[in-house]
Amino acid sequence: MSAPTVEPTTAPAAAPADTAPAPDPRLREGAFGNATALACRECGHQVALGPFYACPECFGPLEVAYDFPAVTREQIEAGPRNIWRYKALLPVPDDIEQSPNTEPGFTRLLEARNLAAELGLDKLWVKDDSTNPTNSFKDRVVACALSAARELDAKVFACPSTGNLANAVAAAGARAGMKTVVFIPSNLEKPKQVNSAVYTDKLVAVDGNYDDVNKLASEIAGEEEGWAFVNVNVRPFYAEGSKTLGYEIAEQLGWRLPDQVVIPVASGSQLTKVRKAFQELVALGLVEDKPVRIFGAQATGCSPVSTAYKAGVDAIRPVKPDTIAKSLAIGNPADGIYVLDICRETGGAVEDISDDEVREGILLLARTEGIFTETAGGTTVGVLKKLVETGQLDTSLETVVINTGMGLKTLDAVADRVGPAATIAPSYSAFVASGIV
Amino acid sequence: MAVSVRIPTILRTYTGGASEVSAEGATLAELLDCLEADHPGIRARVLDDTGALRRFVNVYVGNEDVRFLDDLATPTPDGAQVSIIPAVAGG
């Protein structure tokens, strides 16, 4: 017996699975698991599973539609301790574990008692994705994109990136034995450049910001045959990988949903997918339904979604980013409008903080929980603090904050803010004189 | 003198498969009128029912998104390169 088909979050009713477009006969059966089609989030138009990302009718984004089988908690718990434990809910084949991948996921969900006490929250967890293979949540999405690239017989694995994605694509491509080409803004943090260049000799630095790099990648994707740009032409498959963050949070909480989640917003895709994951778990009967308030976090130097939220408008005006939180520096976030919808609908909010507050957020998490986050995580923790201070977040409810990446990649952000408290001679008297304790 | 317009894959059914076409017009709006005359149906894919740019399409004159310029009133001088690109989520 099949479980109900789960609709995209805000799309009009999609056509039933039995009217899905015929699959490409060149694809092997089950190439995309239980996925049935790509459906437009705006108008519901369906196209066949393939390297497509924009609706031919209205340019709206395409999302994977499924006909899920019945799935039990026990089946999931018996799976591997990585994202493939949820493979029945992802657009990947049943034999996905046989193909070399970086096997990300099932990262730690840490109860953050010290940070909770510092901020005045009753119950707080940090979902720490800095422990993925290349130290960011991007390994999740890339693993799904790599599966799609393989099934579509792509020859080149590629991406435009603000850094973390480039790291993940380069590493996964190397492990899969695929040629990788990754495009980044030329002013990207040096550690993120090195973290890509060690895995691939085809790191391309583009003079421009992320939105310029993204434009270039979109143009190349339209011209070059056999290229799988993970976040362009195979984006629908790629984006589904972010659902695993939501699945894991629920499973690690003992198969229940949290009351509130704070999520960084770059393109906005991750936030929408965490919401989708929660909805799927409810639809599949794996968790009980309950309200979950979802909050988005941006840095003020690139806060088009927060600005629209505060202005009470639906249209998002693109901005030219100017912030140290480069992994969130997407001035024209394609999924921003969905973030607005979700945060408003769930009783959440979108908030932004200054670069100084981003740095404070990094230090706050490090010094309360021993987690060194990158600037995106500093933004998220800083926004959590601001949401508490402004009364937007209910401190009595169970809250999860997502840390998407590792602080070693953005050392410069805090390098000038920390250092030795004293430099002393190697003698006990010098130590006493230093006044350290 | 004409303006060169790059056409995304999903609109090439309107241009006979061409990835780049030539059009004329002093502004983006006039350019789209010209495109429509040569390739009927294409304008309705780029503009919504109210005549505004669709939410998920980005149009560039040179390397600049027209939303940072004058939108449909953005000048399209001779020799300019115009690109129509579906919006994509970032990374």
Side-chain angles (χ1 to χ4, degrees), chain A residues 53 160 213-223 229 232, chain B residues 85-86 88:
Chain A
Y53 65 104
V213 184
N214 204 21
K215 169 179 175 280
L216 172 63
S218 298
E219 290 185 305
I220 296 171
E223 301 305 322
F229 274 94
V232 182
Chain B
I85 297 176
V88 288

Side-chain angles (χ1 to χ4, degrees), chain A residues 142-166:
Chain A
V142 166
C144 290
L146 178 58
S147 176
R150 273 201 182 98
E151 299 298 336
L152 293 166
D153 200 26
K155 305 297 182 231
V156 182
F157 199 47
C159 69
S161 173
T162 59
N164 282 327
L165 179 59

Side-chain angles (χ1 to χ4, degrees), chain A residues 116-148:
Chain A
E118 179 79 22
L119 298 180
L121 287 159
D122 288 352
K123 260 311 196 182
L124 176 67
W125 288 266
V126 176
K127 178 61 174 167
D128 184 16
D129 251 21
S130 69
T131 59
N132 269 318
T134 67
N135 305 108
S136 86
F137 89 101
K138 291 293 186 183
D139 291 311
R140 298 174 183 274
V141 281
V142 166
C144 290
L146 178 58
S147 176

Side-chain angles (χ1 to χ4, degrees), chain A residues 42 53 56-57 59 138 161-162 165 210 214-215 218-219 222-223 231 267 317-318 320 332 334 337-338, chain B residues 6 9-12 19 45 54-58 60 62-65 67-68 83 85-86 88-91:
Chain A
E42 290 292 302
Y53 65 104
E57 295 298 317
F59 275 95
K138 291 293 186 183
S161 173
T162 59
L165 179 59
Y210 173 77
N214 204 21
K215 169 179 175 280
S218 298
E219 290 185 305
E223 301 305 322
N231 49 343
S267 71
R317 185 161 184 79
K320 303 282 188 189
N332 190 9
I337 54 168
Y338 301 121
Chain B
R6 293 190 63 81
T9 313
I10 58 173
L11 292 184
R12 290 179 192 170
S19 61
R45 297 270 80 81
R54 286 186 181 276
R55 285 202 301 185
F56 290 96
V57 61
N58 294 332
Y60 298 83
N63 285 323
E64 192 65 277
D65 186 328
R67 291 189 174 92
F68 287 112
S83 302
I85 297 176
V88 288

Side-chain angles (χ1 to χ4, degrees), chain A residues 29-109:
Chain A
E29 190 164 347
F32 297 108
N34 298 307
T36 55
L38 298 176
C40 176
R41 280 188 80 149
E42 290 292 302
C43 70
H45 180 78
Q46 292 200 355
V47 301
L49 293 162
F52 315 118
Y53 65 104
C55 175
E57 295 298 317
C58 72
F59 275 95
L62 297 174
E63 282 220 320
V64 179
Y66 299 89
D67 184 12
F68 286 134
V71 179
T72 66
R73 294 177 182 177
E74 291 72 25
Q75 286 170 331
I76 292 170
E77 287 168 354
R81 290 179 68 80
N82 58 50
I83 62 170
W84 303 138
R85 68 201 284 107
Y86 308 107
K87 65 184 178 183
L89 309 180
L90 298 170
V92 299
D94 196 48
D95 61 359
I96 182 68
E97 293 145 87
Q98 307 308 313
S99 305
N101 212 310
T102 56
E103 293 159 354
F106 225 68
T107 55
R108 55 194 190 171
L109 180 73

Side-chain angles (χ1 to χ4, degrees), chain B residues 3 23-31 72-78:
Chain B
V3 171
E24 296 194 7
T27 64
L28 180 58
E30 289 179 21
L31 197 76
L72 288 171
T74 300
T76 50
D78 286 349

